[in-house]
Amino acid sequence: MMDRLDELLTVARPLLDRVDEVLSGIGAPGGHDVWRELRRVRLLPGDAARAVAALRPAAIRDAAPELRADARAYADLADALPLATSWTGEAAEAYETARRGAAELLNGGPDSLGHRMSATADLADSLIGWMLGIRAGLASVLAEVMVSTEAIVLTSGDSPPTDQADAAAAIGARLLRTVADGYDEAEGLLAGSADLQSPLPV
């Protein structure tokens, strides 16, 4: 299903192509903010906008409920492991040690399967929110630059090269800053879930 960003990108494609063309061919004024944003994103504005448009929250929307269901299943399985109540001795003690270990692995501490499933579901929810946020933010900026004076300069076809460079840099800086700030936020989300990348204890 198309959202506002998809719709705007369809209309804005000629402008974005022109921004990329001018930045690649003519360049931008020395010291302009667009240079810093280009270093942050390492993509031209049009490519960066299309990269954000390629983010699809719906692709992971179904993952979180399934992960939470798996977490509950691990908890139920841990609770269902029977106690050694009707027998005693070394075999019973060995079984109880094994039972406690299995229950801990299934749904005990932060390294348990159940906890990791829940944490992964939380991360999926956060990533969905982030995708929706960066798409909406970029759509708002794109809608503004499409009706800006800089857009007129770039699409009029008769502006001096220096004016075109100024206009492309101004539009590019706004778009790239939005993308770069959004990706910084995503890096924070992923850094906060770094423990999910560590191997399970043996």
Side-chain angles (χ1 to χ4, degrees), residues 14-101:
L15 174 62
L16 292 175
D17 289 345
R18 184 60 184 152
V19 169
D20 288 358
E21 180 184 346
V22 170
L23 290 176
S24 298
I26 301 175
H32 196 282
D33 285 348
V34 73
W35 293 115
R36 181 173 68 91
E37 303 306 335
L38 282 166
R39 286 191 293 271
R40 291 176 70 192
V41 180
R42 300 183 182 278
L43 290 172
L44 288 168
D47 292 332
R50 286 184 282 273
V52 171
L55 297 171
R56 296 295 175 187
I60 61 173
R61 185 168 283 128
D62 293 338
E66 292 178 3
L67 289 165
R68 295 193 196 285
D70 288 341
R72 288 191 296 272
Y74 283 125
D76 291 342
L77 182 56
D79 292 340
L81 294 175
L83 297 170
T85 55
S86 60
W87 45 305
T88 59
E90 291 183 4
E93 292 174 3
Y95 168 79
E96 183 58 22
T97 299
R99 186 198 68 78
R100 284 196 301 267

Side-chain angles (χ1 to χ4, degrees), residues 119-136:
T120 303
D122 291 342
L123 176 59
D125 284 338
S126 296
L127 288 174
I128 290 169
W130 169 75
M131 288 183 189
L132 293 172
I134 191 173
R135 289 180 66 90

Side-chain angles (χ1 to χ4, degrees), residues 185-200:
E185 182 182 348
E187 286 184 5
L189 290 175
L190 295 175
S193 61
D195 58 322
L196 293 175
Q197 301 175 30
S198 60
L200 285 169

